Amino acid sequence: MSFIAAEGQPSVTPSDPPMTPLLSARDLHRSYPGQQALAGVSLSLQRGDILGLLGRNGAGKSTTLRLLAGVLRPDRGHVQLNGESLHMRHATRARIGFLPERPPLYPELRVDEYLRFAARLRGVPRPRLRQAVDDIIERCGLGARRKRLCGQLSKGYRQRVGIAQAAVHDPDVLLLDEPGNGLDPVQNQDIRALLKELATSRAIVLSSHVLPDIEALCNRVLLLRQGRVVFESRLPLANGERHLLLQTADADSASIGAIDGIASVSVQAPGCFALTLADEATPAAVVRALCRAGIAIHSLCPAGNRLEQLFAETDDNA
Amino acid sequence: MKALLYKDLIQLFASPLAWILLAIEQFVLAWIFLLQLDQFQAVQTRIGLNPNQAVIQPLYLNAALILLFIVPLLGMLGFSLERRNGALDLLLSSPASPTALVFGRFIALLAWLLPAILLCLAMATSLALGAAIDLPRLFAGAFALLLCAALYAALTIWLSTLGDQPLATAAAAIGAILLLWLIGDSRAAGGVFSWLGIEAHFTRLAAGDLNAGDLGYFLALGCGALLAATFQLQRSRET
């Protein structure tokens, strides 16, 4: 999995071989009249990645997704899917599925008519049309509602149909803007399960305000503020008493992993390491061992609720 | 293009508004047709009018005027409503080009208007049961009506790409088409303004006088509006 730091400097973990990213965005800039919506967002995704976009209202999440979907053109920067420019070739968009913030339903159409339309629009050939629609109806649990008018569906089912239209053509990348928006906890669980199932064979980018959704679904998170990436990391961020989050500028994962009492170490972000302690080790002993090894500790804290902490911290600091 | 065409046709067939408008159009046209037929029967023996001039041409002219209101009311549900409810993002994120989207929508609207025009043609053809009518001119008139409806549809689609208020789209389209009807009729009109007026072009074609100048008028304005709609959709990615 490739990994792009907030500053735009690529940092690849030692175990990952270099790969052409499935979806890459470089230095995306976008402004609306009187407002800079995005200022230099870069990201990169491989198949199997689920990237969560976090940020407050107006941070640039929806604009990022609309740029990645090809709905908007960037003022600067580019989006590539398997090395092909999204904005140069219309056909490239057939490999992307997009759920906007409001599911783009037509109230007069029945669910299966609507999904057939979405499949045709994304270029599914006629012989495969019926199968594609039947498959996605089954995967999204819409069988009992397939003949209902879209305008008569409950919010949860509208959201399901919205996700189904984004995935009906079996795209390589799914872009979902607030897929859990306005759902009750049971519906939210259903949507999470559906997205996990869909994620097995593709990359997904989703935006959400709901941190537990991001933690439950995503293996990477990217925090935006005022159109800029202020933090990016892998998930899960380490949790519990046996897990600590270390921030230091003058050590790498190999030297930290060699310290007594540390069972494993993983890079969360540049200068930020998640440590798992060995069974017999205590945090105090590990601190002493780090100091003995000459590693300057900028901060060391338990990793519980890290996403929420990071969200609050970056929001305060930015 | 086909995806949007099929979807729009399903939507139009499912829309009560479309059926109501079609019913109103046919009712009003039938009423006018019967009135003109009545007048024609009363005067034909005295002044020797032929039914093409006395009944069919006015029928087509009235149909063109009624479609002036119907096409914008049907077309207003297009891009402006989609922009408003977020469905435009679905279209713009698809591999379909803006040209394909615009032409798909245009053909769907025209396909829906075709029965209205054919019913009008059937009404006019029914005269053949009791009078000698000039069939080539009859069909040329129906073709003129189709061109007129196509121009209305193209203008409405273009205006629907400019905003997100369907009613404003309909009002603007009705206003623009009315202006085209009035502009050529004005005493001050001359040159370009005179050429821009629909009435003279339509009247000549509806009378069966198929000529390149009038056909070119409808093609130029219709294609111009569709190109403007395509350009505007493309531009909406940038704004």
Side-chain angles (χ1 to χ4, degrees):
Chain A
M1 181 197 298
S2 64
F3 195 70
I4 303 298
E7 294 81 9
Q9 298 297 316
S11 70
V12 180
T13 50
S15 58
D16 293 331
M19 293 168 75
T20 308
L22 177 61
L23 177 74
S24 74
R26 292 277 167 187
D27 196 29
L28 293 180
H29 284 73
R30 174 73 198 195
S31 58
Y32 300 117
Q35 185 199 352
Q36 183 74 33
L38 283 190
V41 169
S42 297
L43 59 88
S44 166
L45 286 172
Q46 292 294 357
R47 210 173 284 276
D49 280 352
I50 309 183
L51 174 68
L53 289 183
L54 273 177
R56 300 179 68 173
N57 289 333
K61 304 186 296 295
S62 293
T63 301
T64 303
L65 287 173
R66 295 179 84 207
L67 285 167
L68 295 178
V71 174
L72 294 176
R73 265 181 193 280
D75 298 335
R76 213 168 79 203
H78 62 85
V79 180
Q80 287 189 328
L81 191 66
N82 259 343
E84 286 183 0
S85 169
L86 192 67
H87 295 282
M88 292 299 166
R89 290 195 65 218
H90 288 302
T92 311
R93 295 198 193 103
R95 288 150 60 197
I96 287 183
F98 179 44
L99 169 69
E101 194 171 348
R102 266 184 303 168
L105 306 185
Y106 294 93
E108 307 87 355
L109 297 188
R110 298 184 189 285
V111 170
D112 58 348
E113 288 171 344
Y114 173 67
L115 292 176
R116 207 171 301 132
F117 159 64
R120 270 198 201 110
L121 193 65
R122 265 67 173 267
V124 175
R126 183 179 271 272
R128 280 188 39 224
L129 205 59
R130 181 188 286 263
Q131 190 61 46
V133 171
D134 288 348
D135 282 353
I136 202 67
I137 281 177
E138 193 186 325
R139 291 180 88 179
C140 295
L142 291 165
R145 304 286 193 286
R146 67 180 297 154
K147 290 293 173 191
R148 281 271 186 93
L149 292 176
C150 290
Q152 292 176 347
L153 295 173
S154 67
K155 184 143 191 169
Y157 275 103
R158 292 162 87 95
Q159 207 69 10
R160 276 173 186 257
V161 174
I163 294 169
Q165 66 78 22
V168 67
H169 55 305
D170 197 19
D172 292 332
V173 178
L174 262 182
L175 306 168
L176 309 170
D177 200 351
E178 310 265 0
N181 202 3
L183 301 181
D184 66 34
V186 176
Q187 289 171 331
N188 211 7
Q189 286 287 350
D190 291 347
I191 296 284
R192 277 188 198 176
L194 171 62
L195 292 181
K196 276 188 173 168
E197 203 248 308
L198 290 172
T200 52
S201 56
R202 51 179 63 84
I204 295 183
V205 184
L206 62 93
S207 77
S208 180
H209 292 293
V210 187
L211 301 186
D213 277 355
I214 298 279
E215 283 182 312
L217 282 167
C218 302
N219 58 13
R220 291 172 55 195
V221 65
L222 189 147
L223 190 54
L224 291 171
R225 190 174 192 277
Q226 293 180 340
R228 292 174 193 280
V229 178
V230 290
F231 179 77
E232 179 172 357
S233 176
R234 294 182 181 193
L235 288 177
L237 294 173
N239 277 298
E241 288 183 355
R242 309 302 305 164
H243 303 284
L244 300 173
L245 209 64
L246 169 69
Q247 285 187 309
T248 178
D250 52 10
D252 57 20
S253 56
S255 59
I256 295 170
I259 303 286
D260 282 347
I262 294 177
S264 68
V265 59
S266 65
V267 181
Q268 297 279 301
C272 182
F273 303 90
L275 314 181
T276 302
L277 304 192
D279 287 344
E280 72 282 4
T282 63
V286 168
V287 170
R288 282 195 295 274
L290 286 166
C291 291
R292 274 200 302 275
I295 295 171
I297 302 171
H298 293 177
S299 79
L300 185 71
C301 61
N305 296 320
R306 280 302 297 158
L307 197 55
E308 202 168 324
Q309 285 171 22
L310 279 168
F311 190 89
E313 283 166 14
T314 50
D315 207 46
D316 290 342
N317 295 339
Chain B
M1 187 169 89
K2 278 185 189 169
L4 198 61
L5 167 65
Y6 293 149
K7 193 274 294 173
D8 276 7
L9 279 177
I10 292 171
Q11 264 189 308
L12 283 169
F13 275 101
S15 159
L17 177 69
W19 287 107
I20 289 168
L21 290 174
L22 184 63
I24 290 172
E25 192 239 0
Q26 289 307 308
F27 177 78
V28 173
L29 274 185
W31 189 269
I32 291 170
F33 176 70
L34 290 174
L35 281 179
Q36 281 170 337
L37 193 60
D38 200 32
Q39 286 171 358
F40 171 66
Q41 283 176 323
V43 300
Q44 68 163 331
T45 48
R46 278 181 283 157
I47 56 175
L49 275 173
N50 77 51
N52 280 78
Q53 282 176 323
V55 182
I56 296 172
Q57 283 176 37
L59 178 72
Y60 287 144
L61 183 65
N62 285 316
L65 291 173
I66 293 169
L67 287 176
L68 184 161
F69 296 96
I70 287 177
V71 178
L73 286 172
L74 285 176
M76 75 177 181
L77 300 171
F79 293 115
S80 52
L81 186 62
E82 280 162 340
R83 191 185 294 273
R84 194 175 177 181
N85 66 19
L88 192 62
D89 280 5
L90 173 67
L91 302 182
L92 293 179
S93 66
S94 77
S97 67
T99 312
L101 295 175
V102 166
F103 276 85
R105 173 138 294 158
F106 171 70
I107 293 169
L109 194 49
L110 215 53
W112 176 256
L113 292 169
L114 203 58
I117 293 165
L118 289 176
L119 285 170
C120 184
L121 178 66
M123 221 181 283
T125 312
S126 69
L127 271 182
L129 295 172
I133 57 173
D134 184 342
L135 282 176
R137 285 180 191 277
L138 175 92
F139 288 114
F143 180 61
L145 190 58
L146 181 67
L147 286 177
C148 201
L151 174 56
Y152 295 170
L155 284 170
T156 306
I157 286 169
W158 168 49
L159 290 167
S160 80
T161 60
L162 297 176
D164 61 0
Q165 300 289 326
L167 275 176
T169 296
I174 290 170
I177 299 166
L178 264 178
L179 188 67
L180 286 178
W181 274 96
L182 296 173
I183 200 169
D185 209 24
S186 159
R187 283 172 188 273
V192 175
F193 287 114
S194 177
W195 181 82
L196 274 176
I198 287 182
E199 190 172 1
H201 301 287
F202 178 76
T203 309
R204 278 193 293 271
L205 289 176
D209 175 17
L210 290 180
N211 64 84
D214 295 327
L215 291 173
Y217 166 83
F218 283 102
L219 280 177
L221 258 63
C223 291
L226 290 176
L227 283 176
T230 305
F231 174 75
Q232 186 59 34
L233 268 193
Q234 187 62 41
R235 202 170 159 265
S236 64
R237 291 187 202 276
E238 271 123 46
T239 53

